[in-house]
Amino acid sequence: MTQPVPFQSIPFQDVARLPMPGDNVAIVTRKLPAGTVIEYNGQPLTLDFTVLEGHRFAIAPIAPGEHLLSWELPFGIATQEIAPGQYVHNAEMLEALGGRSISFALPATPNFEDFVPPYILDEANFQPAEGLPAYAHGRAFWGYPRPGGRGVGTRNTIILLGTSSRTGGFVKQLEARLAGVADAWPNIDGIVAVAHTEGGHDAPNNTEFVLRTLAGFAVHPNVGAVLCVDYGVEPMTNALLQDYLTENGYPLDAVPHEFLTLRDGFQTSLDRAEAIVRGWLEAVNATARELTPLSELKLALQCGGSDAFSGVSGNPLIGWVAREVVRYGGGANLAETDELIGAEPYVLQKVKNLETARRFLQLIARFQERVGWHGHTAEGNPSGGNKFRGLYNIVLKSIGAARKKDPETRLDGVLEYGERMTEGGYFFMDSPGNDLESIAGQVASGCNVIFFVTGNGSITNFPFVPTIKVVTTTQRYQLLSRDMDVNAGRYLDGLSMDELGAETLDLTVRVASGERTVGEKAGHSQVQLWRDWRQTEPGHVEEINRMPQPKGRALPLTRSPNHPLTLSYPAFPSSSGLSADRIALILPTSLCSGQIAKMAAAQFNGKGLGKDAGISRFVALAHTEGCGSSGGGTGDPYVRSLVGYLRHPAAAHVLLLEHGCEKTHNDYFRHELAERGIDLSRYGWASIQLDGGIDAVLAKVEDWFVDQFAGEKPPTPVTAGVENVRVALLNSGELSAVAATQLGRLAAGIVAGGGVLVVPENAGLLSSPAFLAETVGPGPHLPTLAYGQALADAVDQTGFHVMETPTSHWAETLTGLGGTGVEAVLAYVGGHPVEGHPLVPVVQVTGEESIEQRYAADMDAVLGDDPAGWPQEMADLLAATLGRTHRPKAAQVGNIDFQFTRGLLGVSM
């Protein structure tokens, strides 16, 4: 006899969803407190703990050793008896929730452990699947037809491509110069910079990936013309890219293009580049939209900031649209290799042929192997935001991610990262789970529309391909409606998938025909290529983890300098002593909040915010870390460095801006700071997702800074001397013995005077006998500071320090130096000019005649004819910089960069 349901019970359909009938756990659609009674199949189920939105509870008894099932696939094994109504939770979920600010009790121990089902392809019984039946009728959109087999563009954009990381600052400044120019040309959608972090350091392992991606960008159907920019001396050069394009049959001749190598001053080169671009405008504008068949659409299928409903509403929706586009003859591209581990049975249930199935599994195995070389497993992919919103482990995340492939759709082929899609069909492309890195590969493959499904509310956009953002629930859409294009939560609310899919397909056609997405209207975008990795074989992880840790003890000088330096400048009293500047710092906790942080800083600087309180400027430190990568070995250099910036002497007021779904969210850093005994009350906190989207969070951030400045008076400067100096010293390019000697005398003078001097481990100075003879004597010298380690945490907070540098990447080196707390960097230039830093002034000097002849306009000082006077000459330049009477040339022209290292064991996931 059916037991009567208590009056206060809630119908199951009002608060929960079952992805498939055979599941034994259900997903709640809103937060339910402990004790809630749910009516399921006429039976009352009482929740034993509070269950957050997107989390799961049992609907049937699960015995120890039995599988937990979602989408009728196993994702865990019960470790104890789980009764109907009990909250299901693994150890990783409890750890993730324990790091959040929550106000309810959590279970003491997990009741299931993760299970990644092994998959073995049954080749003997494999049956090729039939493809989708093509539509007899056609459908069309208005696109830009391209010659040479390039396809049809959904946008007509001129791109300014930094061939390596070293020219990223140049192309961004060129974009700024040309801002608004495209508005006068009706058929040009924009002139955009494509800057990235790769190809600028020695011995990269991702060269093939970078070349394939840049080549795909150059001939992309959305590109009306492309300017490729290098210095000609990087590991990744224009010549290398041009050879790759030619040798691999890319239709470069079908694209207006130019390869520009910077051999003159920055401004002179900008003038030349601007003239090249302006010379293309008329020709690019001459290409008009034409009615073209939907078979020319190629969809990039992405998800990021996923939640438990991504696989219920958002991903099935874009899978529906992709199915229809494929039936019209178009293409679709599924990516994110590590986010399909555990979903192999679903992905491979319909495959074109045996070789495609084999290749898919080979790429998954290869990805797992590469991650293993770095001491990680792909099971570590889910971010803190994923877990908070109900994706307990990689299997649940993968099962949901795989729903971007409709059950009726066949897997037609497998692509390498960035490999071109030359025909219609449904393809898988190898890539990391990092959203931006994966999207770059899909764009390089030729995708001309991006679908981005998000549960938390990711705001990702790409510079020259429109992104349609799909959010999974109505509640989250209402919170972020100004930043989302499609509310897939309407399916959860009762709208049929066919109705919602038809609406979304109509929107896709309109966007492909020129209708701007909300992201395009917002005007922000990001690019990130698959970042380099350091390990190329197994067996090194333990060795790296055993490497000695820097002790924080300064190196002693071997002699006293003969000529003490004279150095003084006005400085401000602060909690960390005297500081050379007072900056308002907006620090994004991940890559996805970086562009919004930059928008905020630009707005506030434009308003002159904080000037009455003695704030010189706002700075945002946009970067690529915090989500979709795994660090490791010798601590986490990203977290250590970011905490260093939070404590930087020049940072008078600091606000942390999270995206909301990253691994290193605001609560993560609250915990890190509390562990270090740092007062949390001095920091501001804001969240793009939780505070209601871009406009709302910008207002909140401004309000916080205004409150901080209220009633604050500019401090009275005092005179600082050499004993207050915190500077870094390094060189770029060739270093003569004469220059090394004088740089050594500068360094010795600062240290002997009681100041701090930091030299990066990768600097040529430390292998120069002339420099070492004047300072700390013959090497080798082990680092005294970890990468990005704050001087405040060192045993010796003055003296000569060496900071470890896992790579030779210039921007990564500068970023680590800034984290130590140095207030200026002096770079001796023996090659091309170098990028500056957004917060720490970088002054460039040279005494080399060849550099003077070519790049004098970019140098802060061309040193005098008598080398004996160089130390004091450089000291005077540092004093003027620290005293804010000299602004470095790199900062004046905007040639700056910022990038955290991933160390020796960091790898994209």
Side-chain angles (χ1 to χ4, degrees):
M1 184 174 180
T2 303
Q3 182 178 350
V5 176
F7 176 77
Q8 68 271 24
S9 65
I10 304 172
F12 177 87
Q13 197 61 27
D14 289 354
V15 294
R17 291 291 183 275
L18 204 62
M20 294 188 74
D23 295 348
N24 56 13
V25 297
I27 307 169
V28 302
T29 57
R30 60 182 171 87
K31 179 181 175 183
L32 298 175
T36 298
V37 180
I38 300 170
E39 177 191 349
Y40 179 71
N41 286 344
Q43 299 292 324
L45 305 180
T46 302
L47 299 182
D48 59 341
F49 283 92
T50 296
V51 182
L52 288 171
E53 177 188 16
H55 290 232
R56 290 166 166 81
F57 65 94
I59 59 167
I62 307 172
E66 289 187 350
H67 289 142
L68 282 70
L69 302 175
S70 212
W71 288 278
E72 298 180 353
L73 291 172
F75 68 89
I77 297 176
T79 55
Q80 61 189 58
E81 189 76 36
I82 302 176
Q86 286 190 333
Y87 174 42
V88 298
H89 45 278
N90 59 356
E92 291 77 9
M93 175 59 68
L94 293 178
E95 181 183 1
L97 292 181
R100 294 275 186 169
S101 299
I102 57 175
S103 58
F104 52 87
L106 294 171
T109 58
N111 57 12
F112 81 91
E113 60 186 21
D114 295 345
F115 175 68
V116 180
Y119 183 82
I120 300 174
L121 180 64
D122 185 359
E123 296 193 7
N125 296 307
F126 178 85
Q127 294 293 324
E130 294 293 326
L132 290 167
Y135 282 123
H137 61 284
R139 189 163 182 179
F141 71 100
W142 291 90
Y144 295 100
R146 304 296 189 187
R150 293 175 56 211
V152 175
T154 60
R155 297 293 183 269
N156 190 26
T157 308
I158 297 172
I159 67 169
L160 317 170
L161 181 60
T163 304
S164 81
S165 60
R166 298 190 198 180
T167 49
F170 181 89
V171 295
K172 285 185 281 190
Q173 285 308 302
L174 181 58
E175 178 190 59
R177 265 201 183 199
L178 294 164
V181 169
D183 297 344
W185 301 88
N187 292 329
I188 300 179
D189 292 296
I191 303 171
V192 300
V194 178
H196 58 88
T197 62
E198 302 308 295
H201 63 283
D202 294 337
N205 294 310
N206 64 345
T207 297
E208 180 71 20
F209 287 6
V210 174
L211 283 169
R212 197 184 300 129
T213 306
L214 299 183
F217 286 175
V219 301
H220 192 277
N222 283 14
V223 173
V226 56
L227 176 67
C228 304
V229 184
D230 76 345
Y231 278 108
V233 296
E234 309 95 321
M236 181 64 60
T237 62
N238 281 346
L240 194 62
L241 176 59
Q242 190 168 9
D243 287 346
Y244 186 88
L245 284 155
T246 302
E247 293 168 3
N248 290 277
Y250 286 82
L252 181 62
D253 290 341
V255 191
H257 65 277
E258 186 81 27
F259 291 94
L260 175 64
T261 294
L262 306 182
R263 303 191 189 282
D264 300 305
F266 198 85
Q267 294 289 3
T268 301
S269 297
L270 280 175
D271 293 341
R272 182 180 171 195
E274 181 179 354
I276 292 170
V277 174
R278 287 185 179 275
W280 284 330
L281 294 173
E282 187 172 350
V284 174
N285 188 66
T287 301
R289 289 187 183 269
E290 297 178 10
L291 198 61
T292 55
L294 215 61
S295 59
E296 296 292 346
L297 271 189
K298 292 183 173 67
L299 305 178
L301 309 178
Q302 272 288 326
C303 57
S306 301
D307 69 356
F309 302 103
S310 294
V312 179
S313 60
N315 287 336
L317 173 60
I318 67 169
W320 191 102
V321 175
R323 181 195 71 197
E324 296 302 291
V325 169
V326 169
R327 293 187 67 184
Y328 281 113
N333 183 311
L334 174 70
E336 300 178 287
T337 305
D338 47 329
E339 297 185 6
L340 295 174
I341 294 170
E344 295 94 340
Y346 177 78
V347 175
L348 296 180
Q349 67 183 1
K350 293 188 72 173
V351 188
K352 182 177 182 178
N353 53 45
L354 182 58
E355 181 54 35
T356 297
R358 288 172 176 160
R359 185 65 179 144
F360 173 78
L361 294 173
Q362 287 168 359
L363 291 185
I364 284 184
R366 186 178 71 181
F367 191 98
Q368 292 175 306
E369 180 184 35
R370 183 186 297 120
V371 169
W373 294 339
H374 296 80
H376 308 293
T377 67
E379 285 79 357
N381 169 285
S383 70
N386 293 150
K387 294 174 183 176
F388 190 69
R389 298 273 291 170
L391 295 179
Y392 294 28
N393 57 29
I394 187 58
V395 180
L396 278 179
K397 187 172 182 178
S398 293
I399 295 171
R403 296 287 152 165
K404 295 193 285 289
K405 176 181 173 291
D406 188 87
E408 296 181 19
T409 302
R410 182 183 71 179
L411 181 62
D412 293 308
V414 172
L415 304 169
E416 290 284 357
Y417 181 76
E419 182 181 348
R420 296 183 73 205
M421 296 169 62
T422 56
E423 57 187 13
Y426 193 96
F427 293 85
F428 164 75
M429 185 198 75
D430 183 34
S431 85
N434 182 299
D435 304 331
L436 295 182
E437 295 181 21
S438 182
I439 288 171
Q442 291 177 305
V443 169
S445 77
C447 292
N448 50 13
V449 172
I450 300 165
F451 270 115
F452 194 93
V453 175
T454 178
N456 287 277
S458 295
I459 56 169
T460 297
N461 298 287
F462 194 82
F464 59 88
V465 179
T467 301
I468 298 173
K469 289 195 284 292
V470 179
V471 71
T472 61
T473 63
T474 295
Q475 298 96 312
R476 191 58 59 133
Y477 178 80
Q478 290 170 343
L479 181 66
L480 300 166
S481 60
R482 297 177 65 126
D483 303 307
M484 298 291 127
D485 295 281
V486 177
N487 175 19
R490 295 168 65 203
Y491 171 71
L492 299 174
D493 300 337
L495 186 66
S496 75
M497 186 59 74
D498 287 341
E499 290 178 277
L500 186 56
E503 287 183 16
T504 307
L505 178 59
D506 288 343
L507 172 65
T508 304
V509 173
R510 296 198 308 272
V511 168
S513 300
E515 181 177 311
R516 292 198 302 161
T517 64
V518 293
E520 289 177 297
K521 294 173 185 175
H524 68 86
S525 61
Q526 295 163 283
V527 177
Q528 177 58 41
L529 279 56
W530 194 331
R531 287 201 68 190
D532 194 23
W533 57 91
R534 305 302 297 167
Q535 305 307 312
T536 58
E537 60 184 9
H540 299 291
V541 173
E542 290 187 9
E543 174 189 352
I544 292 170
N545 284 328
R546 287 198 303 266
M547 291 171 63
Q549 297 296 296
K551 304 298 185 183
R553 294 194 178 278
L555 300 176
L557 296 177
T558 57
R559 67 169 77 170
S560 299
N562 294 326
H563 303 287
L565 296 174
T566 301
L567 190 155
S568 66
Y569 58 96
F572 303 102
S574 72
S575 59
S576 57
L578 297 183
S579 61
D581 204 352
R582 301 188 74 246
I583 290 168
L585 178 61
I586 304 173
L587 200 49
T589 65
S590 70
L591 75 168
C592 290
S593 54
Q595 296 305 305
I596 309 308
K598 290 177 69 174
M599 289 171 62
Q603 286 185 19
F604 304 161
N605 282 329
K607 294 179 178 181
L609 202 65
K611 293 296 184 183
D612 292 342
I615 297 297
S616 66
R617 59 197 166 102
F618 278 80
V619 172
L621 300 179
H623 56 85
T624 66
E625 301 310 296
C627 183
S629 67
S630 193
T634 63
D636 188 332
Y638 161 62
V639 173
R640 182 172 57 242
S641 304
L642 195 142
V643 171
Y645 280 100
L646 290 172
R647 305 166 67 187
H648 196 280
H653 296 284
V654 185
L655 179 138
L656 291 90
L657 177 63
E658 70 171 12
H659 192 209
C661 56
E662 56 267 79
K663 293 184 178 182
T664 52
H665 43 73
N666 278 349
D667 281 344
Y668 180 97
F669 280 107
R670 286 188 179 99
H671 177 76
E672 287 290 327
L673 293 171
E675 284 283 301
R676 290 167 165 80
I678 298 171
D679 181 11
L680 298 182
S681 65
R682 65 166 296 212
Y683 300 106
W685 311 86
S687 173
I688 296 169
Q689 292 171 359
L690 299 181
D691 289 327
I694 297 172
D695 292 341
V697 81
L698 287 174
K700 178 178 180 177
V701 172
E702 181 172 0
D703 288 345
W704 184 83
F705 279 109
V706 168
D707 287 346
Q708 297 299 301
F709 300 151
E712 187 174 54
K713 301 296 183 184
T716 302
V718 299
T719 299
V722 67
E723 70 277 9
N724 306 114
V725 167
R726 307 179 189 94
V727 297
L729 185 65
L730 71 169
N731 66 293
S732 170
E734 297 296 324
L735 181 67
S736 66
V738 171
T741 297
Q742 302 310 323
L743 289 166
R745 291 173 179 171
L746 170 70
I750 291 172
V751 172
V756 181
L757 185 113
V758 182
V759 179
E761 180 186 16
N762 61 12
L765 293 169
L766 293 179
S767 58
S768 167
F771 178 81
L772 294 174
E774 298 293 334
T775 53
V776 293
H781 295 287
L782 294 175
T784 63
L785 296 174
Y787 177 90
Q789 179 187 346
L791 284 159
D793 291 333
V795 175
D796 296 327
Q797 298 180 15
T798 60
F800 190 109
H801 281 283
V802 176
M803 184 196 76
E804 69 172 352
T805 50
T807 73
S808 62
H809 195 294
W810 179 265
E812 290 182 6
T813 299
L814 285 186
T815 300
L817 290 171
T820 68
V822 298
E823 296 191 279
V825 175
L826 189 141
Y828 185 88
V829 176
H832 64 75
V834 295
E835 303 100 314
H837 186 287
L839 187 150
V840 181
V842 178
V843 292
Q844 301 181 61
V845 302
T846 191
E848 310 299 320
E849 185 177 350
S850 61
I851 305 304
E852 178 184 356
Q853 291 173 349
R854 181 177 292 180
Y855 298 120
D858 296 322
M859 295 296 106
D860 293 286
V862 175
L863 300 172
D865 294 335
D866 181 8
W870 288 5
Q872 186 60 53
E873 195 174 345
M874 291 185 284
D876 292 344
L877 178 61
L878 283 171
T881 303
L882 292 167
R884 303 168 308 285
T885 59
H886 173 78
R887 188 181 181 208
K889 296 286 186 67
Q892 291 181 38
V893 300
N895 186 21
I896 58 174
D897 200 1
F898 186 86
Q899 181 58 47
F900 293 109
T901 188
R902 288 185 178 174
L904 297 176
L905 296 179
V907 64
S908 292
M909 291 172 60

